[in-house]
Amino acid sequence: MTMTSEAATRVSNSASVHLEAISKSIGGTRILAGVDLDVNAGEFVTLLGPSGSGKTSTLMAIAGFVTPDSGRITVRGRDVTVLPPGRERDMGIVFQNYALFPHMTVAENVAYPLKVRRLPRREIETRVADVLKLVQLDALADRKPARLSGGQQQRVALARALVFEPSVLLMDEPMGALDVRLKEELQLELRRLQKEIGATVIYVTHDQNEAMLMSDRVALMRDGQIEQYGPGQELYRHPRSLFAARFLGDSNLLKGMVRDGWLDVGGLRIALPTGTLAATGERQAALLRPETLTVREGATGALMSEDGACLYGTVRDAAFVGQAMRYEIDVPGLPEPLLVHQVACAAHAQLAIGMPAQITWDRDDIHLIALGDQDE
Amino acid sequence: MSSASAIPAGLRARRSVADLQWLSVAVILLFLGATFLAPLFEVLALSLTDADGTFSLAQFRELADSSSLRPVLLQTTITALEVTLACIVIGYPAAIYLSRLEGWKASLTSVAILFPFLTSSLVRTFVFIVLLGRNGVLNNALVWLGVPGAPFKLLFNQTGVVIGMTYVLLPYMLLSLIGTMRKIDGTLLDAARSMGASRARVFWTVYLPLSLPGVAAGAIITTILGFGYFVTPALMGGPGEKMIAQMVEQRIVTLYDLPGAAAISVVMLTIVLMAYAAAARWLGLSRLMRPQG
């Protein structure tokens, strides 16, 4: 299933894309509220967000199917905001349902954009053969799409979007309809292929793992705006808002107020990360990722530790989820139980429900999120 | 032990459901047999007897020799095909528009298309006589507009027959086309556009091929229905353009030649069945009936 590099051709054409304050309302509803986005040539950028956050609308605006009410879209510095989809706009699109022509064979589907460009027949044949080899579908060139599996259809769609070497490749949740195993395989394949040919890819998904796995940078969207934009690791480790912290991965958010160099969470003292400059009176939330916490059997009755990187509680729920134990620990003073993911190995004794527990962490694994006025 | 007794009970229940299904199928078959198949065999038997009631192929021999059947058959075929063509030409663009409507507009057009079926075709044909007559609404309008050559002879000739039958059969074509066109995935058209195809090219290479099954199904229905049509040709046609159904009627009513009428009917039925078989074979009718994708 690996894609061969011999057939790979570098897309010399790949371009940078720049979005500037893109807004769009449909029927009185604001679906895009000032989207700014910079995508470098050859970069893989993912628009991530819950449904209704505007990620597909942003993609369709870049594709030209949605014309923004205001703002500017430039590709390689050229303004394409109102340019209709087509040859001049020069974008390869992989649609969510793949949009393969059911009355054409795989080869005819892939040849379509080349025929439109009136290339000589020889060249069309060579290029179709090359790109089908690239996605490893050369053996199925004469099949109709209906006789292909979901994964194969997806690769035909990809081949058809790549074959005319567009300046940008847009993909709208292309893995949505695939089962988990196939999805993981294709994600890595697509990632490798994209690096190989150097295409600029703008990718839409609501799957955070997919976004982090594949992208150079992730743009997290919320309510028609980009909430945070950066490498996946940065978004995961240093989310700038509660929304970002909650959307990517599991999280424990302890909300409190800074007091004398500690975070006071309902009377519990949490040590701030070293070097934090937070003034007394600031409202902050401490983000503790479940996998950075360590849990062990605690002494009954212990309530606090001196170093501020330890809490005591009772195991409320313990579940084995394969690579980890998933604990929920009730901590007196916290409104919600703490979630702990602990690697299931000999080093960690498993705890049973109802046992007293001690939770520790490294204070530098804490990330502080400043709370705004509207944050509860 | 309780589960052991539950199994036969469950089976019995399933059994009685199966019996019920058989019963309902049997009722339908009985009804069809009594009202359709039995008369059909009666006609077949009638066509194979002579005046004395004994078996003979005389009727068919006579038809084969007669010079009257062939021109009528030809005329009927031509008319049916002309009507089908007219239905495609008028119906296709209309269906494109109608298939894109949504919500109450779509419901309204569906009702509007089906509405003529609630009226007897006799009444509908009379309406056309009023519209198309020498002093009819249409000709008066054309004269008033000063169209050269007006008033035209639009009734009691081939033109009248084709206009009338097209009106009656157009809904079948429309329904078939709209059904197929609604199923065409709009993202296919978007995809083609994004790859650089012009609107015209998108139509010819994607939309038209995907709508052809609807055209074929509609054409088969209108051709077969048109082939056997009686009322409209009888009322709106001229003496020179007799269709085959009129010939049957003439044999029965005027000549009281029941075996002769039956023989023509059998010829008609054979032609229609052959046309249908050919269509099913060449156009892959079973495939046409299946949804896209």
Side-chain angles (χ1 to χ4, degrees):
Chain A
M1 285 288 275
T2 50
M3 294 173 178
T4 48
S5 56
E6 51 183 310
T9 41
R10 238 189 137 67
V11 181
S12 49
N13 196 18
S14 64
S16 61
V17 179
H18 182 80
L19 271 69
E20 217 177 280
I22 297 300
S23 290
K24 177 75 180 177
S25 297
I26 291 177
T29 315
R30 200 133 190 251
I31 53 169
L32 295 178
V35 174
D36 294 295
L37 186 72
D38 268 307
V39 181
N40 299 324
E43 195 176 18
F44 194 122
V45 166
T46 295
L47 304 174
L48 175 70
S51 52
S53 60
K55 52 193 194 303
T56 295
S57 300
T58 305
L59 195 79
M60 289 300 129
I62 300 170
F65 290 116
V66 167
T67 309
D69 299 333
S70 62
R72 229 163 71 96
I73 301 171
T74 55
V75 175
R76 204 186 280 110
R78 182 183 170 213
D79 191 331
V80 299
T81 316
V82 295
L83 200 64
R87 247 181 107 164
E88 252 200 284
R89 203 164 176 113
D90 192 31
M91 290 180 180
I93 305 173
V94 177
F95 289 84
Q96 196 166 6
N97 64 356
Y98 313 138
L100 299 178
F101 303 130
H103 58 299
M104 298 182 196
T105 63
V106 167
E108 285 165 349
N109 262 285
V110 176
Y112 192 87
L114 302 178
K115 280 187 187 149
V116 166
R117 285 164 175 74
R118 296 181 204 287
L119 295 186
R121 228 182 67 199
R122 274 271 172 72
E123 197 186 335
I124 292 180
E125 280 168 14
T126 339
R127 282 173 71 168
V128 168
D130 281 352
V131 81
L132 284 181
K133 215 175 281 170
L134 185 70
V135 297
Q136 300 219 315
L137 283 174
D138 35 339
L140 303 177
D142 296 325
R143 288 251 183 114
K144 291 274 177 70
R147 293 191 50 230
L148 298 179
S149 71
Q152 289 166 339
Q153 290 186 17
Q154 197 238 45
R155 284 188 283 165
V156 176
L158 181 63
R160 192 178 63 176
L162 282 174
V163 72
F164 60 99
E165 299 182 1
S167 45
V168 186
L169 183 60
L170 307 177
M171 304 181 83
D172 186 9
E173 304 217 20
M175 310 280 182
L178 305 177
D179 64 71
V180 181
R181 264 294 169 78
L182 187 60
K183 210 164 159 173
E184 283 170 4
E185 208 169 316
L186 286 174
Q187 282 165 350
L188 293 170
E189 238 179 73
L190 178 60
R191 173 79 180 150
R192 186 160 47 235
L193 181 68
Q194 183 264 339
K195 285 291 159 228
E196 223 164 71
I197 61 181
T200 306
V201 174
I202 302 177
Y203 190 96
V204 162
T205 186
H206 62 266
D207 178 342
Q208 34 139 338
N209 293 326
E210 189 171 296
M212 286 191 280
L213 177 71
M214 301 180 75
S215 334
D216 295 312
R217 282 193 283 176
V218 176
L220 178 63
M221 294 200 68
R222 178 197 195 183
D223 299 335
Q225 276 177 320
I226 290 181
E227 180 92 355
Q228 192 170 348
Y229 183 36
Q233 201 173 134
E234 187 189 308
L235 263 72
Y236 188 82
R237 295 211 166 152
H238 306 294
R240 281 205 292 267
S241 61
L242 295 181
F243 173 79
R246 288 197 185 110
F247 196 82
L248 277 95
D250 290 319
S251 54
N252 295 297
L253 288 158
L254 310 182
K255 289 169 218 160
M257 191 173 282
V258 178
R259 199 160 284 156
D260 308 324
W262 300 84
L263 185 67
D264 183 337
V265 180
L268 300 170
R269 284 202 311 172
I270 308 288
L272 301 177
T274 39
T276 309
L277 302 168
T280 296
E282 274 180 26
R283 293 179 63 230
Q284 298 270 3
L287 167 64
L288 288 162
R289 290 292 182 192
E291 67 275 13
T292 62
L293 303 178
T294 306
V295 66
R296 60 180 69 88
E297 195 175 347
T300 330
L303 277 179
M304 279 282 264
S305 74
E306 288 310 305
D307 64 353
C310 175
L311 288 170
Y312 292 92
T314 317
V315 179
R316 173 206 184 103
D317 190 39
F320 178 70
V321 292
Q323 73 271 54
M325 281 297 293
R326 182 185 179 282
Y327 293 106
E328 280 178 31
I329 316 281
D330 274 324
V331 176
L334 293 184
E336 284 167 7
L338 275 186
L339 190 63
V340 181
H341 292 167
Q342 184 154 278
V343 179
C345 67
H348 302 294
Q350 288 192 9
L351 303 187
I353 294 173
M355 280 167 76
Q358 180 200 36
I359 305 149
T360 55
W361 61 88
D362 186 321
R363 64 190 285 195
D364 289 331
D365 278 332
I366 290 187
H367 170 67
L368 286 183
I369 299 166
L371 295 176
D373 295 334
Q374 63 269 62
D375 287 317
E376 273 303 301
Chain B
M1 283 316 279
S2 62
S3 66
S5 62
I7 291 167
L11 277 180
R12 232 178 296 135
R14 216 172 302 155
R15 178 80 190 274
S16 67
V17 168
D19 287 347
L20 211 66
Q21 282 172 345
W22 271 113
L23 190 71
S24 55
V25 170
V27 168
I28 294 167
L29 286 178
L30 209 67
F31 181 77
L32 267 182
T35 61
F36 178 67
L37 287 178
L40 195 64
F41 276 110
E42 182 82 358
V43 168
L44 192 63
L46 207 55
S47 72
L48 292 171
T49 51
D50 61 10
D52 308 329
T54 51
F55 176 83
S56 96
L57 288 170
Q59 299 301 337
F60 290 101
R61 219 173 291 133
E62 193 191 312
L63 276 181
D65 293 341
S66 111
S67 58
S68 63
L69 182 65
R70 241 166 294 161
V72 174
L73 263 183
L74 187 68
Q75 177 64 31
T76 308
T77 311
I78 289 172
T79 307
L81 292 178
E82 278 178 354
V83 169
T84 299
L85 190 68
C87 283
I88 294 173
V89 169
I90 298 168
Y92 196 89
I96 292 179
Y97 175 75
L98 295 174
S99 67
R100 289 185 183 179
L101 298 179
E102 282 168 13
W104 65 269
K105 288 180 187 164
S107 317
L108 186 69
T109 48
S110 303
V111 173
I113 291 167
L114 291 172
F115 203 71
F117 289 117
L118 301 177
T119 326
S120 99
S121 56
L122 191 68
V123 173
R124 280 182 278 159
T125 304
F126 271 122
V127 167
F128 261 91
I129 292 176
V130 174
L131 285 173
L132 300 177
R134 194 154 197 84
N135 287 310
V137 178
L138 184 66
N139 265 326
N140 279 347
L142 291 176
V143 170
W144 184 79
L145 286 170
V147 175
F152 299 103
K153 187 165 168 47
L154 299 172
L155 269 183
F156 312 120
N157 59 10
Q158 180 71 2
T159 317
V161 173
V162 171
I163 291 175
M165 284 177 64
T166 301
Y167 169 72
V168 174
L169 294 177
L170 188 58
Y172 294 99
M173 178 61 79
L174 278 178
L175 291 175
S176 167
L177 285 175
I178 292 172
T180 309
M181 287 169 173
R182 283 232 173 100
K183 278 191 229 121
I184 297 178
D185 180 1
T187 53
L188 295 179
L189 312 178
D190 284 348
R193 293 262 289 139
S194 74
M195 285 183 265
S198 63
R199 282 181 191 281
R201 197 183 180 102
V202 174
F203 176 79
W204 288 110
T205 57
V206 181
Y207 195 85
L208 183 67
L210 291 179
S211 65
L212 278 184
V215 178
I220 289 164
I221 296 168
T222 50
T223 307
I224 288 175
L225 288 179
F227 192 78
Y229 227 73
F230 171 72
V231 175
T232 307
L235 291 177
M236 292 175 71
E241 298 88 17
K242 200 159 53 174
M243 301 232 336
I244 193 159
Q246 291 167 270
M247 210 172 163
V248 176
E249 186 253 10
Q250 194 181 37
R251 292 270 162 131
I252 298 169
V253 177
T254 318
L255 307 175
Y256 202 65
D257 175 13
L258 285 182
I264 299 175
S265 302
V266 169
V267 169
M268 245 174 101
L269 187 65
T270 311
I271 290 172
V272 167
L273 285 178
M274 275 164 55
Y276 187 81
R281 190 178 171 83
W282 299 115
L283 299 171
L285 209 63
S286 58
R287 201 189 57 211
L288 299 185
M289 298 311 178
R290 262 207 335 244
Q292 301 289 328

